[in-house]
Amino acid sequence: MALLENMQVFVRVVDLGSLSAAGRNLRMSPALVSHRIQQLEAHLGARLLNRTTRQLQATETGQIFYQHCLEVLEAVERAHSSIAAEGGAPSGSVRVTAPLGFGRRVLGPLVPEFRAANPMVDVRLRLSDHLLDLLRESVDMAIRMATLKDSSFVVRKIADLRRVLVAAPEYLAARGRPQAPSDLLEHDCLLLRFPGTQQYRWTLTTPAKGDGAKGDGAKGEAKSTKLSIAGPMDADDGDVLTRWAVDGHGIALKPLWEVAEEVKSGALEIVMPDHPPEPVQLAIVYPHRALLPAKVQSLSDFLVPRVRSLLATSHPDAVL
């Protein structure tokens, strides 16, 4: 067991690139992490890491051993999952991250229901509109609303979500209604901003329409317009942007389901409906592995149909 634990420490050190980062991640002191690595090197009779004052890198032997460690740890995980699949109840802690608004409105209320059906699984929920690093933060699964790019992570799609530009009637009466995407550059736009974010890049689409000049009903191609948006106010909490928009401070880009009630009540109006923002994917993301732990798989299987049903029932116009 000590050897297996030392292998887990070694993998985390290589993944995060430093002893101190691995220690924070594993809740160990850097000295203990270093001791575990020394034990592993003594057991193997080989140096696994090259350490300098500025960086830490795996040796050639360490790189080979790292790949074998991944295979061993994955096999252990697969063995645990196979036992659960044979009738053992899922157990352990699942660390989950999700956007603030989604966590408050959707995920938070579902967690107690999941726990009632799976009392041996503890859910550790971290809500943030920041995109947390799954490996560095030891996250088992993340719920993302984003334009997801190809990566080494596994993505389980829940739904494609419509997004809209919204503003208060008072703001539009005072500043006028933008008619074309470029008009947004003259407006106060409210931005979701945090380190590494791309939320200031707005992509609007103009749906293809029949070309009357041809007389044949032929359709052209949808046009995309990419804008680098600036604004006088930004925040790292999407609900703050909604509040600012309702109070008449500018135009916000939001998933429709998040502002559906405000639009229905008239507190917000959809701006330029003929030039909608590109949709985003709502998905569960987890680090790539051949077989998910039973605790993660059970939570994922629980959430996907319920979230789909909730969105389809309460906000049907918000789902593509």
Side-chain angles (χ1 to χ4, degrees):
M1 185 60 71
L3 176 59
L4 187 64
E5 291 174 353
N6 289 346
M7 292 169 67
Q8 291 172 326
V9 171
F10 172 67
V11 166
R12 188 55 61 193
V13 168
V14 175
D15 284 342
L16 300 183
S18 79
L19 299 177
S20 58
R24 288 191 299 270
N25 186 268
L26 297 169
R27 298 182 181 179
M28 295 180 177
S29 68
L32 180 55
V33 172
S34 178
H35 178 67
R36 290 294 188 93
I37 297 299
Q38 290 172 7
Q39 284 185 323
L40 194 56
E41 289 178 328
H43 176 80
L44 297 171
R47 178 174 290 277
L48 299 175
L49 299 172
N50 284 325
R51 307 171 183 84
T52 68
T53 56
R54 293 190 175 183
Q55 64 181 355
L56 179 151
Q57 292 182 330
T59 63
E60 183 176 354
T61 299
Q63 292 172 359
I64 296 172
F65 185 65
Y66 171 80
Q67 295 299 324
H68 288 301
C69 284
L70 292 179
E71 295 174 2
V72 170
L73 295 174
E74 187 175 278
V76 171
E77 192 171 88
R78 191 159 52 243
H80 282 299
S81 296
S82 66
I83 293 173
E86 290 296 324
S91 63
S93 294
V94 181
R95 293 170 293 278
V96 185
T97 181
L100 283 164
F102 182 87
R104 291 167 178 158
R105 298 177 183 85
V106 180
L107 185 57
L110 288 174
V111 168
E113 183 183 345
F114 171 78
R115 279 274 302 138
N118 299 271
M120 296 178 64
V121 179
D122 297 333
V123 178
R124 310 300 183 194
L125 187 58
R126 293 187 60 186
L127 301 182
S128 174
D129 284 332
H130 295 231
L131 298 181
L132 300 183
D133 187 311
L134 272 63
L135 293 176
R136 187 172 295 275
E137 301 293 337
S138 283
V139 173
D140 294 303
M141 57 186 290
I143 296 176
R144 296 271 168 86
M145 280 190 291
T147 303
L148 298 172
K149 300 179 180 179
D150 292 337
S151 72
S152 60
F153 296 145
V154 175
V155 176
R156 182 174 182 181
K157 178 179 173 181
I158 300 175
D160 288 319
L161 302 178
R162 287 182 60 198
R163 293 195 295 177
V164 291
L165 298 174
V166 291
E170 294 79 9
Y171 173 86
L172 297 173
R175 297 290 300 273
R177 292 178 176 272
Q179 301 299 316
S182 60
D183 293 345
L184 292 172
L185 301 177
E186 304 301 322
H187 279 267
D188 293 340
C189 295
L190 307 172
L191 301 176
L192 184 67
R193 190 184 290 274
F194 48 83
T197 182
Q198 294 291 313
Q199 296 290 338
Y200 65 91
R201 299 186 187 277
W202 291 5
T203 301
L204 308 184
T205 58
T206 302
K209 296 182 179 180
D211 186 352
K214 294 181 180 179
D216 57 4
K219 289 186 177 181
E221 295 183 357
K223 178 182 177 182
S224 293
T225 302
K226 298 181 184 295
L227 301 169
S228 292
I229 298 296
M233 299 164 66
D234 60 60
D236 62 358
D237 182 335
D239 283 349
V240 171
L241 301 188
T242 301
R243 184 71 261 165
W244 285 344
V246 169
D247 290 342
H249 296 299
I251 299 173
L253 188 158
K254 301 289 296 183
L256 177 55
W257 76 270
E258 283 194 17
V259 293
E261 295 304 319
E262 289 82 358
V263 171
K264 183 178 180 181
S265 70
L268 291 174
E269 295 184 16
I270 295 178
V271 177
M272 292 196 304
D274 291 338
H275 302 275
E278 65 177 353
V280 290
Q281 189 176 111
L282 176 65
I284 294 176
V285 179
Y286 28 72
H288 177 70
R289 56 191 69 189
L291 186 64
L292 286 175
K295 59 186 180 181
V296 177
Q297 186 71 59
S298 61
L299 180 56
S300 179
D301 291 344
F302 175 89
L303 290 175
V304 169
R306 285 166 176 79
V307 173
R308 285 175 178 165
S309 177
L310 178 63
L311 291 174
T313 302
S314 59
H315 304 293
D317 293 339
V319 181
L320 295 176

